[in-house]
Amino acid sequence: MSVGLYLYLCLTSLLLLRAHALPRSGQGRRSARAPAAKVRLAGIGRGENEGRVEVLHNSTWGTVCDDEVDIKLANVVCRELGFQSAITWAHSAKYGEGEGPIWMDNVRCEGTEKSLKECKSNGWGVHDCKHSEDLGVVCSPERRLDQVHPGTSRRGHVINLRTNITTSNRWQDIYSSPRSPSPWHGNAHPNEFSRQQFSRQQLQSPSGSKVKIEEVRLRPVLMVTKKRALVTEGVVEVKHAGRWRQVCDKGWSLNSSRVVCGMLGFPDAEQPNMNTYKKIWDEKVKDPSTRLSFMTRKKSFWVEKVHCLGTESSLTECHAQLSIPRTSTPCRNGRHAVARCIPGPQFSRMSSGRPQAPHTTKPMVRLKAGPRLGEGRVEVLREGKWGTVVDHLWDRTSASVVCREMGFGTAKEAFTGAYMGQGTGPIHMNSVQCTGRERSILDCLFQDVQPWTFKHTQDASVKCNVPKTGVESTVRLAGGREPGEGRVEVLMDVGGRKRWGAVCSENWGINEAMVVCRQLGFGFAMRAYQETYYWQGDPNAQEILLSGTHCVGTELSIQQCRRNNHIHCPRGGGPKAAGVTCSETAPDLVVDAQLVQESSYLEDRPLHLLTCAHEENCLSSSAARMNWPYGHRRLLRFSSRIMNLGRADFRPRATRESWTWHQCHRHYHSIEVFTHYDLLTLNGTRVAEGHKASFCLEDTYCPDGLHKRFSCYNYGDQGISVGCWDTYRHDIDCQWVDITDVRPGDYVFQVEVNPTLDMAESDFLNNVMRCRCRYDGHRVFMYGCHTGDAYSPEIEDLFEHQRQITNNFI
């Protein structure tokens, strides 16, 4: 009996334990009734905040077509998913083609809808699309405050620094063995990151700051600072919960000033002269009639105990309090904090109104293909070659080091996945980790990249905080259907008075338009107009106030460009004034240097086979003096492959109705001169030339995941899609340089795409490809082929002086 009783008690205990371990039925029912998601991001996106848009209808997931999409639709999707807003959208199934039905087409949102289903469309399943047109979106990484899970940080940025970076098996397998030296480079030590992370976590503990600083500004107090065009010194004011507050200087340090200056677009800070500020403060506080004397006694007027390390990207990451508990007087025995910022070299002469002074130091980092000042793909100079950075571990702390090195403030955003377009040439750095104290990204910890390990689809890019110079208020666009288009009107000083007027369109081109669009913050110029009769400008701004404008393209404002001292405009103003169309994205064409080098050869071609080429001016002028059709011409033939590495499709400027028909070759030319081919002496004199019209601008090859969208067959649309190639084979007409009259010797062979800059691109400096060419009278040798801005000036000088340099293959 005792044994039976013992077994019975054990069995009962086990059943009770199992019953406690099972979830309660009420909990199960609550979980089952949880609302299901109606929209999701899928596909091959690199993060949780981007992907292909899919919507749930009739218990089936389907995609959305990319027709008539705008940022309002993307904002609705991102907010429905719990993100604050959208950064951009992606067309043509960038995140891969979906499966199943295409539920929505021609979706039109006002931007205020709670859900994508509330937007207007053709109706469920009514469309004329394919899955190659599936829509994708990129949302901001910040979550909506009402979507943040209780207990998690609500800060805009969380530093995630790895403390075990030297023991990662994955990276040791790729770059090193247990017996090899550490693969990390830089002046910092891995243990530095442990200390840095501990300090940040202390400041960001749940018991710390609840202040959500939205914005920061400097209010100039001294008369000398009020007169400056660029505000670099003043009283620190922060915006919290929609209202501006003063910052108490108790605990304020130069580190906190550095963070404020970084948010305002300045790379560093210095200590201001506090004696003058103290005198002004004491005088106003003692006077009971002043607003300052009244407001200083209110707790809602202050933000207190701000403490920063100096490496933060924003004051939001610093410790701060709205008021100190159990104190009746806010900011006791303190006054408002003051900061003095040091502007970058490109802004140091802003107050003078003259063009900026040239940089005296040689840059080791640059930003490429960015739509606005302080934005772009990060490229660093190592061993004389410019190369990109892999986006693994890329964050705002490392990006801020780049921004400050460039003369800007801290990083507003750190982008991954070639967000600013793909680079070319080598990839120099991987797994970059900075503490925020470094003067250069080359001082940070990073790993070398072995050849062919990574692709340029993982290039890192950045958006920096830049100073508010006020130049955007001195130009405007009038008459356009959208804010980013219209007739250009400028604010000029005429007889001591500021007046608005038009710009003469004589010699107005894409470089001038680029400066205007960047000055207004609208990105790239898609087109420059010399006639604007269809845009009605301001009747009070019809007079031409700016003529002879010539811009390099890097100026901060159109007023800084070279121009006539006296107005001279034969074309007149009004309907013939200058205009622009701006765009957030642009294409970027790059020539494959490797293919040119590998495919070059000589051919003696009989004249009777060159009749059509002669009609299209593809031969040297001496060909006209020959006894046609007898004889031959010596041609330097080669293949050229042009890739669109930008973020928008490359399209011909001319519409299909205006393409030129060439009867001899029986094809249309959408661009009369698409490329220039030149053979130059070592001092730059042209000895032979050729050109190629765009008779077939199409997607010859697209990598996996991309689909050909442009084809010349049957009078089809012409263009080059993002990420695709257009190849001109060596055996087609005009794909050569006529060197019949050239003597043997050493030359420079040059290929230039889009030479007249008729079509907009995000980067014109990489449009030129150059090779060293040796011609011995019987054979031709090509070597050292590279794009125009791939090397430092010193290495480029070696190229000019007959010393071989390596190729920067795409």
Side-chain angles (χ1 to χ4, degrees):
M1 291 292 291
S2 60
V3 174
L5 180 62
Y6 176 79
L7 291 173
Y8 173 80
L9 291 174
C10 289
L11 183 60
T12 304
S13 301
L14 287 172
L15 290 173
L16 287 173
L17 286 171
R18 183 180 179 187
H20 282 291
L22 290 171
R24 292 191 295 269
S25 60
Q27 288 179 339
R29 285 194 297 271
R30 281 198 297 271
S31 177
R33 288 199 301 265
K38 303 297 183 184
V39 67
R40 69 183 183 187
L41 298 182
I44 55 175
R46 292 183 53 80
E48 65 171 1
N49 62 319
E50 60 177 321
R52 181 178 63 250
V53 179
E54 295 189 354
V55 62
L56 185 65
H57 179 67
N58 284 345
S59 301
T60 304
W61 287 99
T63 61
V64 179
C65 186
D66 60 11
D67 292 344
E68 298 187 18
V69 176
D70 58 16
I71 195 65
K72 294 179 182 178
L73 186 155
N75 276 324
V76 171
V77 171
C78 290
R79 285 199 299 268
E80 185 177 358
L81 289 167
F83 299 100
Q84 289 186 5
S85 61
I87 297 175
T88 186
W89 70 91
H91 60 77
S92 304
K94 176 183 176 182
Y95 297 102
E97 295 186 10
E99 298 177 351
I102 299 176
W103 280 131
M104 305 180 77
D105 186 18
N106 295 323
V107 185
R108 298 171 297 282
C109 301
E110 297 295 330
T112 58
E113 293 86 352
K114 299 285 187 183
S115 170
L116 180 62
K117 291 188 174 184
E118 298 177 13
C119 298
K120 298 178 181 178
S121 68
N122 293 348
W124 292 106
V126 180
H127 65 88
D128 58 355
C129 303
K130 300 178 181 178
H131 278 298
S132 59
E133 302 172 73
D134 284 346
L135 171 68
V137 296
V138 180
C139 304
S140 63
E142 294 83 9
R143 287 280 182 177
R144 287 167 47 189
L145 296 183
D146 57 349
Q147 298 290 324
V148 178
H149 191 275
T152 60
S153 172
R154 290 192 173 192
R155 305 193 176 277
H157 177 59
V158 178
I159 301 296
N160 185 20
L161 295 174
R162 275 67 168 172
T163 57
N164 298 326
I165 48 179
T166 56
T167 60
S168 172
N169 292 331
R170 177 185 176 189
W171 304 114
Q172 281 190 353
D173 290 342
I174 295 176
Y175 296 112
S176 63
S177 64
R179 296 184 181 180
S180 65
S182 170
W184 293 90
H185 299 263
N187 293 336
H189 189 273
N191 291 337
E192 178 78 19
F193 290 96
S194 301
R195 294 191 295 270
Q196 186 77 0
Q197 183 186 32
F198 177 73
S199 301
R200 291 181 188 273
Q201 289 174 344
Q202 278 185 322
L203 292 179
Q204 295 183 345
S205 61
S207 61
S209 170
K210 298 294 183 182
V211 183
K212 178 66 175 179
I213 295 176
E214 304 161 12
E215 201 176 339
V216 66
R217 69 185 181 189
L218 294 181
R219 180 168 56 84
V221 173
L222 305 182
M223 189 58 64
V224 65
T225 59
K226 289 182 179 180
K227 293 181 178 180
R228 293 175 183 169
L230 197 63
V231 178
T232 59
E233 180 180 339
V235 173
V236 179
E237 296 181 344
V238 297
K239 195 174 187 179
H240 169 75
R243 64 183 297 178
W244 288 97
R245 302 169 185 261
Q246 300 285 329
V247 176
C248 182
D249 67 347
K250 287 295 184 181
W252 187 264
S253 66
L254 191 59
N255 284 337
S256 301
S257 293
R258 187 171 188 260
V259 176
V260 167
C261 292
M263 294 178 67
L264 295 173
F266 303 107
D268 214 339
E270 59 185 356
Q271 195 67 42
N273 183 0
M274 293 303 301
N275 293 330
T276 307
Y277 288 97
K278 183 178 183 300
K279 182 179 178 181
I280 295 173
W281 172 271
D282 292 342
E283 289 176 357
K284 290 192 174 184
V285 170
K286 288 179 181 178
D287 186 354
S289 63
T290 62
R291 180 177 179 273
L292 184 63
S293 177
F294 170 73
M295 295 298 293
T296 53
R297 296 190 292 270
K298 302 181 67 175
K299 287 190 175 183
S300 61
F301 183 66
W302 292 102
V303 171
E304 302 195 48
K305 284 193 173 181
V306 177
H307 178 72
C308 305
L309 298 174
T311 59
E312 297 86 351
S313 302
S314 168
L315 276 182
T316 306
E317 301 167 32
C318 302
H319 179 92
Q321 290 181 230
L322 288 179
S323 62
I324 302 175
R326 297 182 296 278
T327 57
S328 57
T329 305
C331 194
R332 182 185 295 272
N333 300 323
R335 59 183 66 87
H336 47 209
V338 178
R340 176 189 287 175
C341 304
I342 302 174
Q346 63 269 57
F347 303 104
S348 57
R349 298 178 64 189
M350 179 60 68
S351 58
S352 66
R354 300 192 302 273
Q356 302 306 305
H359 291 254
T360 56
T361 58
K362 298 176 182 178
M364 301 301 292
V365 64
R366 67 184 183 186
L367 301 180
K368 298 284 285 183
R372 280 168 288 271
L373 185 68
E375 301 179 16
R377 180 179 60 253
V378 179
E379 296 188 357
V380 294
L381 186 66
R382 295 187 68 194
E383 298 178 355
K385 303 176 185 179
W386 288 102
T388 60
V389 177
V390 181
D391 59 10
H392 180 250
L393 303 184
W394 184 248
D395 60 8
R396 283 176 68 191
T397 303
S398 300
S400 292
V401 173
V402 170
C403 291
R404 284 193 162 112
E405 187 176 357
M406 294 287 298
F408 304 113
T410 50
K412 188 177 294 184
E413 292 181 82
F415 298 108
T416 59
Y419 183 78
M420 297 287 182
Q422 297 183 37
T424 60
I427 301 175
H428 281 327
M429 305 173 75
N430 179 36
S431 302
V432 177
Q433 290 198 296
C434 306
T435 65
R437 298 187 179 95
E438 298 85 354
R439 290 291 179 183
S440 171
I441 188 176
L442 295 174
D443 296 333
C444 302
L445 283 172
F446 65 94
Q447 291 178 320
D448 279 328
V449 178
Q450 303 299 321
W452 320 115
T453 307
F454 293 97
K455 297 180 180 180
H456 282 292
T457 54
Q458 297 171 261
D459 286 344
S461 50
V462 68
K463 180 179 182 181
C464 304
N465 288 309
V466 297
K468 294 181 179 180
T469 60
V471 295
E472 68 279 357
S473 61
T474 61
V475 65
R476 67 190 183 191
L477 302 181
R481 296 161 297 179
E482 299 176 355
E485 68 175 14
R487 185 180 298 178
V488 179
E489 296 178 351
V490 292
L491 185 64
M492 302 294 292
D493 194 338
V494 181
R497 294 175 58 247
K498 297 287 186 181
R499 288 178 51 193
W500 285 98
V503 179
C504 182
S505 62
E506 195 84 22
N507 299 321
W508 181 259
I510 199 70
N511 275 340
E512 290 73 30
M514 283 283 188
V515 173
V516 168
C517 290
R518 189 168 54 248
Q519 183 178 352
L520 288 167
F522 289 144
F524 304 106
M526 287 306 296
R527 190 165 178 181
Y529 298 91
Q530 295 188 347
E531 291 187 1
T532 54
Y533 59 87
Y534 36 78
W535 287 329
Q536 186 64 40
D538 190 330
N540 299 321
Q542 297 294 318
E543 183 183 354
I544 296 292
L545 297 183
L546 197 62
S547 68
T549 310
H550 178 75
C551 303
V552 177
T554 57
E555 294 86 352
L556 298 179
S557 70
I558 192 68
Q559 288 86 351
Q560 289 183 358
C561 298
R562 198 172 65 199
R563 63 180 188 269
N564 293 340
N565 292 328
H566 303 284
I567 304 299
H568 176 69
C569 188
R571 291 176 56 88
K576 294 188 177 180
V580 298
T581 298
C582 306
S583 174
E584 182 71 19
T585 59
D588 184 19
L589 300 185
V590 181
V591 180
D592 184 353
Q594 180 180 6
L595 182 62
V596 173
Q597 178 168 306
E598 294 176 349
S599 62
S600 302
Y601 65 96
L602 295 180
E603 180 190 10
D604 290 336
R605 192 163 182 82
L607 285 181
H608 70 271
L609 299 178
L610 295 172
T611 305
C612 288
H614 186 48
E615 287 185 13
E616 295 187 9
N617 297 318
C618 293
L619 300 176
S620 298
S621 57
S622 63
R625 299 189 293 270
M626 296 187 68
N627 184 22
W628 286 77
Y630 306 105
H632 68 272
R633 304 295 295 182
R634 175 156 292 184
L635 307 177
L636 170 55
R637 282 186 172 274
F638 57 93
S639 297
S640 65
R641 186 164 54 195
I642 301 164
M643 185 177 185
N644 180 6
L645 296 177
R647 299 167 59 203
D649 297 335
F650 183 85
R651 301 296 303 275
R653 178 176 177 178
T655 59
R656 187 184 308 186
E657 294 76 18
S658 59
W659 292 352
T660 305
W661 173 259
H662 284 250
Q663 181 64 31
C664 191
H665 279 130
R666 301 192 61 80
H667 57 233
Y668 285 95
H669 285 184
S670 59
I671 304 173
E672 199 57 39
V673 179
F674 180 51
T675 53
H676 271 170
Y677 307 140
D678 296 312
L679 195 65
L680 313 172
T681 62
L682 297 184
N683 63 6
T685 304
R686 184 185 291 115
V687 295
E689 62 180 306
H691 72 272
K692 187 66 184 174
S694 169
F695 72 86
C696 186
L697 198 65
E698 67 175 0
D699 295 330
T700 308
Y701 168 77
C702 294
D704 293 339
L706 299 177
H707 297 272
K708 298 179 181 179
R709 299 175 56 235
F710 298 108
S711 176
C712 300
Y713 296 109
N714 298 323
Y715 198 40
D717 279 341
Q718 294 194 22
I720 308 176
S721 301
V722 174
C724 296
W725 296 99
D726 182 20
T727 303
Y728 290 87
R729 287 173 50 89
H730 59 86
D731 54 359
I732 62 176
D733 266 3
C734 298
Q735 190 61 34
W736 62 60
V737 174
D738 185 355
I739 63 169
T740 305
D741 307 319
V742 175
R743 296 178 179 179
D746 287 309
Y747 299 95
V748 173
F749 178 64
Q750 179 174 288
V751 176
E752 184 175 7
V753 186
N754 190 18
T756 57
L757 307 184
D758 281 339
M759 283 69 62
E761 295 185 54
S762 60
D763 186 5
F764 292 115
L765 296 179
N766 58 10
N767 283 20
V768 178
M769 191 279 314
R770 306 175 76 206
C771 302
R772 286 300 305 274
C773 175
R774 177 167 297 170
Y775 173 47
D776 64 3
H778 305 284
R779 295 169 297 177
V780 65
F781 305 92
M782 292 280 192
Y783 58 95
C785 296
H786 64 287
T787 53
D789 64 341
Y791 297 98
S792 66
E794 293 80 9
I795 299 297
E796 193 67 32
D797 188 58
L798 296 179
F799 174 84
E800 299 285 356
H801 290 83
Q802 305 187 32
R803 291 179 60 181
Q804 184 175 354
I805 59 178
T806 58
N807 304 58
N808 68 317
F809 295 153
I810 294 179

